[in-house]
Amino acid sequence: MADAPAADFSLAPLPAVVRRVLFFVAMEHEAAPIADALGLARMGDARMGDARMGDARTGRVAGAEVTLATPGVDAATKVDRIGPVHASAALARMLALAREPFDLVVNAGTAGGFEAQGQRIADLVVARDAMFHDARVAIDGFDRVARAHTRLSADEATLARMAATLGARAGLVSTGSSLDATADELAAFARSGALAKEMELAALAIVCRLHDTPLVALKGVTDLVDHHEPTHAAFLRNLERTAARVASASGPMLESMCGRFDG
Ligand code: ADE
């Protein structure tokens, strides 16, 4: 971890009061248990001023109005629109079309973890920062823009409180377009000390920076990136269990930011 990079960009801090929260989740298999855990219901057509993507759900949690949205299903393939490009396109559209601004975006979902970090399946990570691990541009300035290494909105005290409440670790979440990892990427994860590898967060951070909107994130481990088992096999086997763990932590995560919710 000696040369773990520092973030080049930072997001707006958490506001004193959070009234409206957008929960952004990539896959329906991740979203459904969160909706159940938070008691959220499908929005009727009349309420679709918010989100306008996928099938949004809404409800009140810890005094805040929560909208849960996904990028939706691709019409041609009938699978969830996963990956950083779909994530940023969907979030940009949601924030631009929202009937009133969201005070906070929460990204929750699954990720790869690292055996070398002592992680296990269904462990939780709260994100301190996010970056793209597959952005390689050997030109000064453009390299940092492409990596988009961004400090998210929770300050150290809030991160520590969330981590203690959830039994999670706080650290770097590394984003890319692929489920698997190359040998070079594995070496880079070891250098950066990443605790989670997934396919959305750094892209969402770019959108939140453009919109000056705070962002926090919670990830659950479905697979171990530095383990010999093929990632997709472990991911599919552990998706339901880990999604349930993330869902059960979602309410306590919102409540751990309490004092920021004014009822
Ligand atoms: N989501 C869950 N596991 C992942 C992994 N290993 N890489 C990217 N996204 C993931």
Side-chain angles (χ1 to χ4, degrees):
M1 251 245 261
D3 60 350
D8 291 303
F9 310 102
S10 56
L11 294 183
L14 292 177
V17 175
V18 178
R19 290 190 185 86
R20 273 173 52 78
V21 179
L22 177 61
F23 241 83
F24 184 99
V25 177
M27 297 177 66
E28 176 58 22
H29 275 94
E30 298 164 332
I34 293 174
D36 285 349
L38 298 183
L40 307 180
R42 295 275 182 198
M43 280 180 164
D45 286 348
R47 304 264 337 259
M48 283 305 286
D50 269 350
R52 294 185 194 231
M53 295 287 287
D55 273 327
R57 287 120 156 160
T58 189
R60 292 197 74 82
V61 182
E65 181 187 348
V66 174
T67 300
L68 170 66
T70 72
V73 169
D74 173 65
T77 59
K78 312 280 188 254
V79 302
D80 296 319
R81 293 192 182 102
I82 59 160
V85 176
H86 288 297
S88 57
L91 181 63
R93 188 166 189 262
M94 291 169 196
L95 295 185
L97 297 179
R99 64 178 158 78
E100 50 178 297
F102 289 101
D103 303 313
L104 174 65
V105 175
V106 178
N107 173 223
T110 57
F114 297 90
E115 225 168 19
Q117 295 279 3
Q119 288 171 295
R120 296 188 172 189
I121 301 302
D123 277 6
L124 296 176
V125 174
V126 288
R128 175 179 284 111
D129 43 5
M131 65 180 283
F132 288 107
H133 53 257
D134 56 4
R136 290 176 295 277
V137 182
I139 306 173
D140 199 27
F142 292 102
D143 55 347
R144 287 180 291 144
V145 166
R147 263 196 315 272
H149 189 170
T150 306
R151 177 69 170 81
L152 305 191
S153 300
D155 56 45
E156 288 300 328
T158 305
L159 280 174
R161 191 168 62 249
M162 288 196 292
T165 303
L166 307 179
R169 286 167 73 182
L172 172 66
V173 173
S174 209
T175 302
S177 296
S178 301
L179 188 64
D180 63 5
T182 66
D184 284 351
E185 286 169 351
L186 285 173
F189 296 135
R191 286 197 301 276
S192 69
L195 291 185
K197 166 186 175 287
E198 47 74 271
M199 298 172 68
E200 287 90 27
L201 188 58
L204 300 177
I206 288 175
V207 177
C208 285
R209 196 153 63 92
L210 283 174
H211 282 264
D212 204 22
T213 300
L215 171 67
V216 299
L218 173 67
K219 301 286 167 177
V221 171
T222 47
D223 53 278
L224 296 165
V225 180
D226 51 353
H227 190 270
H228 56 78
E229 183 182 15
T231 304
H232 64 276
F235 170 74
L236 291 171
R237 190 177 62 250
N238 296 314
L239 176 59
E240 189 178 338
R241 172 182 163 203
T242 301
R245 177 92 204 273
V246 171
S248 67
S250 294
M253 184 200 196
L254 287 176
E255 279 151 17
S256 77
M257 289 182 273
C258 211
R260 299 179 185 279
F261 294 86
D262 73 345

